[in-house]
Amino acid sequence: MTNQVSPRTASPIPRPGDDDPAPGGERAVVRDALGVGVAVGLSGFAFGVTSAGSGLDLWQTCALSLLVFTGASQFALVAALAGGGGPGTAAAGALFLGVRNAFYGLRLSSLLRLPRAVRPLAAQWVIDETAAVALAQRDRRSARVGFVVTGLTLYVLWNLTTLLGALGAERLGDPAAWGLDAAGPAVFLALLAPMLRSTREGATAGLAVVLAVACQPLLPAGVPVLVAALAAPAVLLVIRTREGVR
């Protein structure tokens, strides 16, 4: 999932050995977690509409939200399929966008220290939003509460609104006739915008857009997003080169 609060900028970072609740109790943590979960979870409706408009049936659309559960990857996958890309190319693009969750998992593992038996289930909820809320807490207990409340709220709402969006798209007919085919990209950009907090992030996003647009008429559907992934190492190389010159 893309998020409205960047895990990189969340502060202060909880100390892994700190289990004492932060002053003020857990009410504020629950409130913030519910706010994030509800705000982002409702955008599952846009995914349901977009997926149905891309040719996936109701069960395929719902299975993506239940099993994949990371919005950016889901939107990328259905967009590639809608553009005529093959399943392999579509899955590769979705995988590239979802790799960041593995890095969140490494950080959250040492922070939350969940029982081994529940870790496979918790891994399903390791996304932008849960990482942001958990890392914003001052102690391990609050981080666990934030992670669980955000994950549960978002998972339930995302899947429910995905179902409603897919059903609505089937009843309305062609989403393009209603302008609903633009819902997915619009939501994706709205969730991405708050993450662009620095010149480095803005430059990376801008270069990625240029690469994707330039490759769109030249490469098969789904491949431009893979090329756009080269924006991050390119920007990093330029920054390191400039720092070396200085």
Side-chain angles (χ1 to χ4, degrees):
M1 287 290 185
T2 51
N3 65 316
Q4 295 182 338
V5 182
S6 173
R8 284 182 49 198
T9 58
S11 63
I13 300 298
R15 294 175 293 175
D18 187 1
D19 291 311
D20 297 326
E26 299 172 358
R27 184 173 301 178
V29 179
V30 173
R31 181 195 62 217
D32 293 343
L34 286 173
V36 172
V38 171
V40 181
L42 293 177
S43 61
F45 183 86
F47 172 72
V49 170
T50 303
S51 180
S54 300
L56 275 68
D57 62 30
L58 178 64
W59 297 109
Q60 291 171 327
T61 297
C62 291
L64 279 174
S65 284
L66 284 167
L67 301 177
V68 178
F69 187 55
T70 174
S73 295
Q74 291 178 229
F75 278 119
L77 189 148
V78 298
L81 292 177
T89 303
L95 179 62
F96 263 96
L97 290 174
V99 164
R100 69 192 185 284
N101 294 337
F103 295 98
Y104 294 160
L106 293 175
R107 179 66 183 93
L108 292 175
S109 177
S110 62
L111 168 64
L112 302 177
R113 293 190 181 180
L114 297 173
R116 189 178 299 274
V118 303
R119 289 178 186 176
L121 297 176
Q124 178 72 351
W125 290 354
V126 176
I127 53 177
D128 295 320
E129 291 78 13
T130 55
V133 173
L135 292 173
Q137 309 312 316
R138 296 178 179 271
D139 58 89
R140 176 173 295 128
R141 179 178 176 84
S142 296
R144 285 179 172 179
V145 171
F147 177 84
V148 171
V149 174
T150 305
L152 179 61
T153 305
L154 187 48
Y155 190 76
V156 171
L157 276 179
W158 181 265
N159 281 281
L160 178 60
T161 54
T162 292
L163 173 62
L164 294 176
L167 288 173
E170 289 185 351
R171 299 290 176 85
L172 291 174
D174 182 11
W178 298 80
L180 295 178
D181 55 325
V187 170
F188 183 83
L189 291 175
L191 295 176
L192 177 65
M195 300 177 67
L196 305 180
R197 299 177 181 272
S198 70
T199 302
R200 180 184 302 181
E201 292 165 341
T204 302
L207 179 57
V209 170
V210 171
L211 289 174
V213 171
C215 294
Q216 190 69 33
L218 305 174
L219 300 176
V223 176
V225 70
L226 302 181
V227 176
L230 298 175
V235 171
L236 182 60
L237 178 61
V238 171
I239 292 174
R240 292 291 174 83
T241 301
R242 288 182 176 179
E243 291 176 349
V245 172
R246 292 174 186 174

